[in-house]
Structures are given as C-alpha cells and as structure tokens.
Amino acid sequence: MTRHADHAAAGQTPPASASAGQASPPAGRLGADAVTLGYDRRIISTDLTVAIPDKSFTVIVGPNACGKSTLLRALSRLLRPSAGQVLLDGKAISSYKAKEAARIVGLLPQSSIAPDGITVVDLVARGRYPHQGLIRQWSATDEAAVAAAMAATGITDLRERHVDELSGGQRQRVWAAMALAQETPILLLDEPTTFLDIAHQIDLLDLFADLHEAGNTLIAVLHDLNHAARYATHLIAMKDGRVVAQGPPAEIVTAELVHRVFGLDCMVIDDPATGTPMIVPRARRRGTGEPAAG
C-alpha cells in the first residue's frame, strides 16, 4: 500500500514540513545559525540554519556534494563558518576549549587513518583522551568504557590485533568503538556504515538506535534512504547546500520529495517490518531503459 501519494501528480500542495526550506534558529543544545560554509573560495552553503532536536536521532540525507558532510564538519567544530555560527548550549562552539567540546560532542568521521602499528585496544582507548588531564589520569572508569565500547561493536576478540591488518569493515567498527568510548551526550556520525556488509550495517545502526534510546543525541549522514527513514526520529533533506525539508520521516518522506531531492521516480510505502516509510524505485522495462507503466 502506498504510504504517500505523489503530490505533484495529484495536483496537491506538498505538506508544509516538506516544502519548508529553513528551520527556525537553533533551540536545542547543538545547531547552526545562518552559517556560510565552504573550503577556500568554494562556498557550499550560505545562510544555512539547522536546529538539532535534543535527544533525537537526526539523519541528514541528500545527493553527493549537497553539503551534508560539510554541515556535519561544522557541527563537530572541524570547519569554522565564514559567517554565522555553530551554537553549543547557547555559545559559539568555537569558544570552547578543545577538550571541553570533545567531552560533549563526539565524531565518527567518514575516513580516518590510524597510526602505524597501533593495536585495536590502544586506538579505542584514545577515545578517553578528552577525559584525561594533569590530575585525572587513566582509571578503572576509562578501562570499563573501552571494554564496553569494544563489546558493543563486537571487536573484543580483535583487541590485540594491529589496526592496519584489519579489513575495511573491521576498521570501521574499531573507529566506531573509539567514538563510543568517548562517552559524549552528542555523537556525530559521517557515513558510519561505509565498508560494512548489510548485516553489520544493521548491527551498527541498531547499536546507535540503542544509544539514542538511552538518551543520547545522534546526528548521522547516511546515503541509504531506507536506513535513514527507518532509524531517524528527525530527518534533514539537503540539496545544493540548503535544507529542502526536515521533520519526522513519516511526515516528510514522499515520492515528490524524493524526486525533488534525488531525481528518482519512486513509490513510498509502509515498511512491512517497522511501518516507517520505505522508498521503492519504479521498475523499468527490460531492455528499453524506460520506466514501467503504473
């Protein structure tokens, strides 16, 4: 059964949440207020405002080069806006000391390079760095956090292996464990399922869903629309550096929105397992390259 009719085909106006481009100024712990983002002289986004709902599982989707990873870098303090500001608890995130910010906001980057010869347990332990200081050194609490993070990501049996001898999927789980060991209330995930097979993708997303249910705020960039619609409590759809729509997936994911953002002809139906929106591309006639009728 089709979950959302194609509003354009029906001659109807899309829902307000799907047609609204920008959000109101940030009201949660983390958000971007009228930021301009880019690299050198190449501007990606201008006057971009995004509010991240507290204790949400927010997923950012959009076509390649639309600005979603750039936005995540800004939210993580890795990229400083040339205008506007990223706010954390009402203050510019750039005003925080590095360790202070890292105790609140963690990041699982899209790609990372481990130091040569480092073992799995030593790399995961680096997630505890923001909690160390001149007085507070390594403790039983740190040891427990590292062990729990490795257990949660299924890498305990790899603890003494060298990271550079692992498969791509295993390395991704090690980096995820390091992010978990940081124990931040806000966690940013840049394409966290990269290099993972489908079973491990679901395992990792289920783990992040558990973290969300425990009260953490998660912000992820995902390419798989069906994963995004299944796991997100708040969805942000971007195109050409701006927000096209945002809100709960059940309210904003329509065939019209998917076509507008991705140029994909599809149906949106109920996921038989979860009842969340599921995107089904329209079939093509074999040998013609033309969309099938109906």
Side-chain angles (χ1 to χ4, degrees):
M1 179 178 179
T2 301
R3 183 182 181 92
H4 297 286
D6 187 334
H7 295 276
Q12 299 173 3
T13 302
S17 55
S19 59
Q22 301 293 334
S24 57
R29 297 195 68 182
L30 182 65
D33 190 6
V35 296
T36 295
L37 305 174
Y39 305 96
D40 296 325
R41 297 184 179 180
R42 185 167 64 96
I43 300 300
I44 306 297
S45 296
T46 303
D47 195 29
L48 178 66
T49 295
V50 173
I52 304 299
D54 287 338
K55 298 186 178 180
S56 67
F57 193 159
T58 293
V59 176
I60 307 170
V61 298
N64 290 338
C66 72
K68 48 190 189 296
S69 288
T70 300
L71 171 60
L72 204 73
R73 284 175 59 84
L75 293 174
S76 69
R77 202 171 175 265
L78 289 179
L79 178 65
R80 189 163 189 164
S82 57
Q85 57 186 350
V86 171
L87 299 175
L88 176 61
D89 290 335
K91 299 191 302 181
I93 197 171
S94 59
S95 68
Y96 287 77
K97 294 180 179 179
K99 278 191 175 182
E100 185 183 9
R103 288 193 291 268
I104 304 172
V105 180
L107 172 67
L108 175 58
Q110 188 177 110
S111 58
S112 301
I113 300 175
D116 291 339
I118 194 169
T119 63
V120 167
V121 66
D122 286 340
L123 183 59
V124 176
R126 292 195 174 195
R128 301 301 298 168
Y129 173 75
H131 301 277
Q132 307 303 308
L134 292 176
I135 298 176
R136 188 193 183 285
Q137 300 300 317
W138 191 261
S139 68
T141 299
D142 299 313
E143 197 71 39
V146 169
M150 290 194 297
T153 51
I155 61 167
T156 300
D157 59 339
L158 303 177
R159 58 177 292 124
E160 300 302 333
R161 296 272 300 275
H162 289 99
V163 175
D164 54 14
E165 68 184 29
L166 302 179
S167 69
Q170 288 172 324
R171 285 197 298 271
Q172 187 72 353
R173 284 187 284 151
V174 173
W175 287 108
M178 189 182 78
L180 296 185
Q182 197 170 331
E183 291 188 317
T184 57
I186 302 173
L187 182 59
L188 310 180
L189 312 163
D190 195 359
E191 299 184 30
T193 55
T194 301
F195 304 122
L196 299 179
D197 60 42
I198 185 62
H200 285 113
Q201 288 180 33
I202 298 301
D203 284 346
L204 196 59
L205 289 170
D206 281 347
L207 169 63
F208 294 141
D210 289 342
L211 287 176
H212 165 247
E213 291 175 3
N216 294 278
T217 299
L218 276 69
I219 306 104
V221 168
L222 295 179
H223 274 297
D224 190 307
L225 285 176
N226 286 325
H227 285 170
R230 172 176 282 200
Y231 286 93
T233 61
H234 184 76
L235 194 67
I236 298 174
M238 294 186 66
K239 184 178 182 181
D240 298 329
R242 65 185 183 87
V243 173
V244 175
Q246 59 182 314
E251 294 181 10
I252 72 167
V253 177
T254 65
E256 185 273 338
L257 178 68
V258 175
H259 186 272
R260 182 148 54 103
V261 173
F262 294 94
L264 177 68
D265 290 324
C266 69
M267 299 179 293
V268 178
I269 64 174
D270 289 320
D271 185 317
T274 63
T276 53
M278 185 169 73
I279 294 88
V280 181
R282 292 191 179 276
R284 293 179 177 271
R285 296 192 189 95
R286 289 187 177 180
T288 66
E290 295 295 329

